Amino acid sequence: MSRRDTITASSLPPAATASFPPGASAAVPAAPATADTARRSAEIEAELRRAPQSFRILTGDRPTGPLHLGHYFGTLQNRVRFQQLGADVLVLVADYQVITDRDAGPGLAADVLGLVADNLAAGLDPGRATVFAHSQVSALNQLMLPFLSLLSVAEVGRNPTVREEFSASAGGAMSALLFTYPVHQAADILACRANLVPVGKDQLPHVELTRAIARRFNQRYSPQREFFQLPDPLLGAVPLLLGLDGQKMSKSRGNTIPLAATEDATARLIKSAKTDLRRHISYEPASRPEVANLVLLAAMCQGRPPAAVAAEIGGGGAARLKAVVTEAVNEHLRPIRTRRRELAADRPYLQAVLRRGNERAAALAGDTLNSVRELMRMTY
Ligand code: TRP
């Protein structure tokens, strides 16, 4: 699917010609260098182990339905790891982001609480971590106004994710909220004064924009003392899992394994996975992506190197491989699924966890907004 192609020259604002706001030092780089970010991420990982208390980490998801294995291995497990290390972990349920590209349907509340349940089932401890929904944190949302004033329309329009989402809307009208959602995401991050944002590559431009906003706010309103710390992105060190068809894993492609799937449904899904014609199983991601992906999935569930998993299956072929993967996934997820079912049956508990998280986020964001108003001389 080539989404980029549908952008027309007239559909987006022209590139910036002058610095904005006047006097701003640097434009927002459209695509931060990933190699540098990867190197920096490795340094941060070391720092996280050395001084976890110096990190406040914000991650989040849109509540658009049940999470799948890609989310679990890509982000959920990492959140729990940061929590175990002793960092201050905040997990955002980005409910306002759902209305950027679709209407929030009648199932939104269930999706929001479902996301809370997914996080807790994966091991997030509500006694230590904070789970909140940004629609419930007024001060956070108000920060969007001064932040918007620090960016030009052209800069926001250059954000690659916004451009892609726009093309995905198939030429339909783009809402102004979709256009500005990276700015709202910056408000999420800066309201909480998070200094670390674990993201996938597609979200790097948003963190870059957040840093630009922080830098400009500091320059304009707090030149003597850095008010907003510039948050760092953290690129995941986890290998990327593909979908069961060997393509990018995504719910809309129907190639995922939902976390909450039954063991039988999991077996059926894995049975349908694409493999290749060579009987001998090996771990060669470049030349055998589908087989390698299944091997990797079993390896991640078992906490073993993929090559060892492949060697053990050897001449057993695709049928044996799929049996091993099914067993590994179901075994790894069994306690998580049990806990997920228990949590889903206790809606008042999930609501209480979210309410407590909302309160803490509101306290953080309220402090930030108060200071921002003072720095902007908006105290009367
Ligand atoms: N845009 C993110 C996603 O679609 C969700 C998100 C919203 C987020 N606000 C955030 C992630 C702040 C990290 C920090 O997955």
Side-chain angles (χ1 to χ4, degrees), residues 58-62 92 94 97 134 181 185 188-189 197-199 203 206:
L58 177 68
T59 59
D61 307 281
R62 299 173 178 212
L92 165 69
Q97 271 193 16
H134 59 183
Y181 96 88
Q185 187 154 333
D188 292 335
I189 297 166
V197 187
V199 283
Q203 303 276 307
H206 300 353

Side-chain angles (χ1 to χ4, degrees), residues 93-360:
V93 180
D95 50 354
Y96 265 145
Q97 271 193 16
V98 176
I99 61 168
T100 55
D101 53 359
R102 78 196 84 189
D103 287 335
L108 182 65
D111 284 341
V112 167
L113 292 180
L115 209 43
V116 178
D118 284 330
N119 277 286
L120 301 190
L124 210 75
D125 170 6
R128 282 182 281 171
T130 302
V131 189
F132 72 102
H134 59 183
S135 70
Q136 307 303 302
V137 181
S138 309
L140 180 160
N141 292 294
Q142 188 169 334
L143 284 171
M144 177 106 169
L145 295 177
F147 290 177
L148 280 168
S149 79
L150 296 167
L151 299 163
S152 73
V153 170
E155 271 173 332
V156 181
R158 275 204 303 273
N159 182 288
T161 314
V162 169
R163 296 172 76 98
E164 247 176 60
E165 300 242 358
F166 175 65
S167 328
S169 72
M174 170 161 64
S175 78
L177 183 63
L178 172 52
F179 186 70
T180 53
Y181 96 88
V183 188
H184 192 250
Q185 187 154 333
D188 292 335
I189 297 166
L190 296 176
C192 298
R193 320 294 288 276
N195 56 8
L196 191 60
V197 187
V199 283
K201 267 193 215 140
D202 63 318
Q203 303 276 307
L204 280 177
H206 300 353
V207 183
E208 205 52 52
L209 188 78
T210 307
R211 292 168 63 89
I213 291 172
R215 209 180 295 118
R216 289 175 192 178
F217 184 93
N218 292 342
Q219 254 167 25
R220 180 178 280 195
Y221 298 109
S222 186
Q224 310 301 335
R225 182 181 68 90
E226 180 182 77
F227 174 68
F228 282 119
Q229 192 184 342
L230 269 50
D232 275 305
L234 183 70
L235 275 180
V238 259
L240 189 71
L241 273 178
L242 301 174
L244 293 170
D245 54 359
Q247 307 293 310
K248 183 176 186 272
M249 190 188 286
S250 90
K251 198 174 59 173
S252 56
R253 284 197 173 88
N255 61 4
T256 67
I257 302 176
L259 268 185
T262 63
E263 300 204 355
D264 285 349
T266 303
R268 273 196 301 279
L269 284 167
I270 293 170
K271 200 165 264 173
S272 75
K274 195 167 168 211
T275 51
D276 59 29
L277 296 171
R278 275 167 60 196
R279 179 161 184 90
H280 193 89
I281 297 303
S282 59
Y283 182 64
E284 295 167 85
S287 57
R288 307 182 73 186
E290 298 92 356
V291 166
N293 188 56
L294 286 171
V295 170
L296 178 64
L297 179 51
M300 285 167 93
C301 288
Q302 297 174 345
R304 292 204 298 159
V309 175
E312 210 171 273
I313 298 166
R320 177 82 199 120
L321 170 62
K322 289 179 176 181
V324 167
V325 174
T326 301
E327 173 70 14
V329 169
N330 280 338
E331 190 156 318
H332 184 82
L333 292 185
R334 203 166 292 138
I336 295 168
R337 285 169 165 167
T338 304
R339 177 113 182 91
R340 176 75 174 68
R341 271 196 304 276
E342 289 165 4
L343 287 162
D346 194 351
R347 191 181 156 98
Y349 175 72
L350 295 174
Q351 288 173 317
V353 167
L354 191 58
R355 209 174 312 116
R356 199 142 36 86
N358 291 339
E359 279 163 17
R360 166 144 197 258

Side-chain angles (χ1 to χ4, degrees), residues 39-117:
R39 206 171 312 118
R40 174 97 184 100
S41 293
E43 286 169 17
I44 293 171
E45 278 287 350
E47 187 61 15
L48 254 167
R49 281 187 293 274
R50 210 182 55 74
Q53 335 70 263
S54 57
F55 288 92
R56 181 174 293 154
I57 304 180
L58 177 68
T59 59
D61 307 281
R62 299 173 178 212
T64 55
L67 296 188
H68 54 68
L69 269 186
H71 298 117
Y72 175 73
F73 283 115
T75 58
L76 290 189
Q77 253 194 349
N78 237 355
R79 290 174 192 171
V80 176
R81 183 170 67 86
F82 299 140
Q83 164 191 281
Q84 310 300 40
L85 283 171
D88 185 5
V89 175
L90 292 113
V91 175
L92 165 69
V93 180
D95 50 354
Y96 265 145
Q97 271 193 16
V98 176
I99 61 168
T100 55
D101 53 359
R102 78 196 84 189
D103 287 335
L108 182 65
D111 284 341
V112 167
L113 292 180
L115 209 43
V116 178

